């Protein structure tokens, strides 16, 4: 499952997409809208995506992850539009035979997503807003 | 040649538009198109043509979809 | 939330136990009963625990994890009794401001759980069963 | 002195019991109790007294709960 959605992400569905009788570990990462950034109080987030290219990049990251860690399953869903504090903006699920590869593959997938998937984040504060880039 | 340009994030705010179809001289590069659109050269944008990241010096072709990518913030 | 339960683990409830407006990452690890081990086909698993000591050890691991990665939240639930293939035997949720500490704290918690929590696993095969220790 | 012993996993299979209360001479150690129960010395067990891991040489006291811990397999 690779998707960009404009409503709340169903984390359980993302996790269920990677389940397999051969897997001993399922690791689910949720990137969640948090109420602060660089000392500023954040009221809400807004995500914008270049959707068709984002999907291509997410598919490429999933394929690369499966190639590096043979046998793992990967699902990734990113949200667009307004995202309230506490809600996930991205969910990545990885299933693997053993936990070591689940942790490595999951970390690789989220790091790559943050580096190259064309999605932009606007933080809203009490007194304005700003587009915030990921640290490279 | 005719090229479709789509704008996102800070560039959408500046241009007040989501997408436009423009006529550009043959041989115009991605970076050339960026300058031609009057966008601030100080912005550290990357370029995507037909959803592939390309260097700024890449020459555009008729029918291309061109997107200027500000630094991403997904996740 | 630290618990030992004798029925299916509610993964969502474990994840929800660590949610906090200050967290930007929630990482949920599920250890899942898998259908093979060392080349043998596994039909089902059975877990036995020294419950009061298991709870003490899990509390100690959670406290140690919170001490090492300040600000993280930790929840851990282990299951006992029969566990069908594909069902989680353990769920560990970690919430953190940033993903780096979520991955490190989660990995630490599951590694420690596997090392020292008094829980035993019996694998059932088509032709018998055996108690299986974790690799040290 | 009286000590409660609880058995788990392989040891429960061997003893066919979950728990027993035994009378042991004063000064008996955790390891001594293990031998006194006729359990196989080849098994690599650890010892918990009142839910704390202790060395095998630890002397038991009246009222202690003693558990022999086979290698764990949780997770």
């Amino acid at each position: 499952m690779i998707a960009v959605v404009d409503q709340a992400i169903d984390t359980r569905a993302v996790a269920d997409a990677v389940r397999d009788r051969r897997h001993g570990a399922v690791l689910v990462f949720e990137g969640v809208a948090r109420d602060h950034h660089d000392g500023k109080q954040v009221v809400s987030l807004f995500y914008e995506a270049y959707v068709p290219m984002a999907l291509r990049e997410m598919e490429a990251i999933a394929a690369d992850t499966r190639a590096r860690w043979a046998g793992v399953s990967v699902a990734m869903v990113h949200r667009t539009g307004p995202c309230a504090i506490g809600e996930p903006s991205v969910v990545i699920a990885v299933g693997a035979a053993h936990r070591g590869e689940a942790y490595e593959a999951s970390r690789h997938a989220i790091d790559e997503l943050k580096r190259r998937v064309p999605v932009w984040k606007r933080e809203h504060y009490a007194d304005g807003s700003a587009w915030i880039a990921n640290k490279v | 040649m005719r090229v479709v340009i789509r704008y996102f994030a800070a560039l959408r705010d500046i241009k007040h538009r989501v997408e436009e179809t423009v006529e550009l001289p043959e041989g115009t590069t991605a970076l050339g198109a960026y300058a031609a659109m009057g966008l601030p050269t100080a912005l550290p944008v990357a370029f995507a043509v037909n959803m592939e990241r390309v260097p700024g010096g890449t020459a555009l072709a008729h029918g291309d979809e061109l997107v200027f990518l500000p630094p991403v913030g997904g996740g």
Side-chain angles (χ1 to χ4, degrees), chain A, chain B:
Chain A
M1 177 196 292
I2 302 290
V4 174
V5 299
D6 62 1
Q7 50 197 285
I9 301 173
D10 180 349
T11 298
R12 185 194 303 231
V14 185
D16 287 348
V18 303
R19 294 191 187 283
D20 188 302
R21 292 173 60 84
R22 291 164 300 181
H23 291 338
V26 172
L27 191 62
V28 178
F29 173 83
E30 286 185 359
V32 179
R34 86 170 175 259
D35 69 0
H36 66 283
H37 177 75
D38 278 350
K40 290 195 81 161
Q41 204 62 26
V42 177
V43 175
S44 71
L45 297 181
F46 181 90
Y47 285 92
E48 200 170 284
Y50 177 17
V51 175
M53 183 175 167
L55 290 171
R56 263 172 81 122
E57 294 283 76
M58 289 161 72
E59 291 281 7
I61 292 166
D64 171 55
T65 304
R66 286 189 293 261
R68 285 183 189 222
W69 290 276
V72 309
S73 318
V74 181
M76 336 176 77
V77 177
H78 205 297
R79 182 170 180 181
T80 57
C83 187
I85 300 303
E87 290 182 349
S89 52
V90 64
V91 176
I92 298 181
V94 170
H98 301 283
R99 72 187 183 286
E101 55 200 3
Y103 279 93
E104 289 173 16
S106 173
R107 185 68 201 264
H108 173 75
I110 182 60
D111 286 357
E112 284 295 293
L113 182 145
K114 285 188 164 260
R115 191 176 70 76
R116 62 186 255 206
V117 175
V119 172
W120 297 274
K121 173 171 71 175
R122 192 198 275 274
E123 288 183 352
H124 289 271
Y125 318 110
D127 62 347
S129 71
W131 292 101
I132 303 294
N134 292 328
K135 290 172 183 93
V136 188
Chain B
M1 61 182 176
R2 196 160 287 176
V3 170
V4 174
I5 305 180
R6 302 178 66 180
Y7 298 100
F8 293 96
L11 297 175
R12 186 178 288 186
D13 295 348
I14 292 167
K15 292 294 284 186
H16 299 293
R17 59 178 63 118
V18 166
E19 183 182 319
E20 63 186 331
T21 302
V22 298
E23 274 291 334
L24 294 169
E26 291 295 327
T28 302
T29 63
L31 187 56
Y34 185 79
M37 294 304 110
L39 290 163
T41 48
L43 264 185
V45 299
F47 304 91
V49 173
N50 304 327
M51 299 192 281
E52 295 270 12
R53 278 170 202 273
V54 296
T58 304
L60 302 171
H62 180 79
D64 277 349
E65 175 172 286
L66 171 64
V67 175
F68 310 122
L69 305 170
V72 299

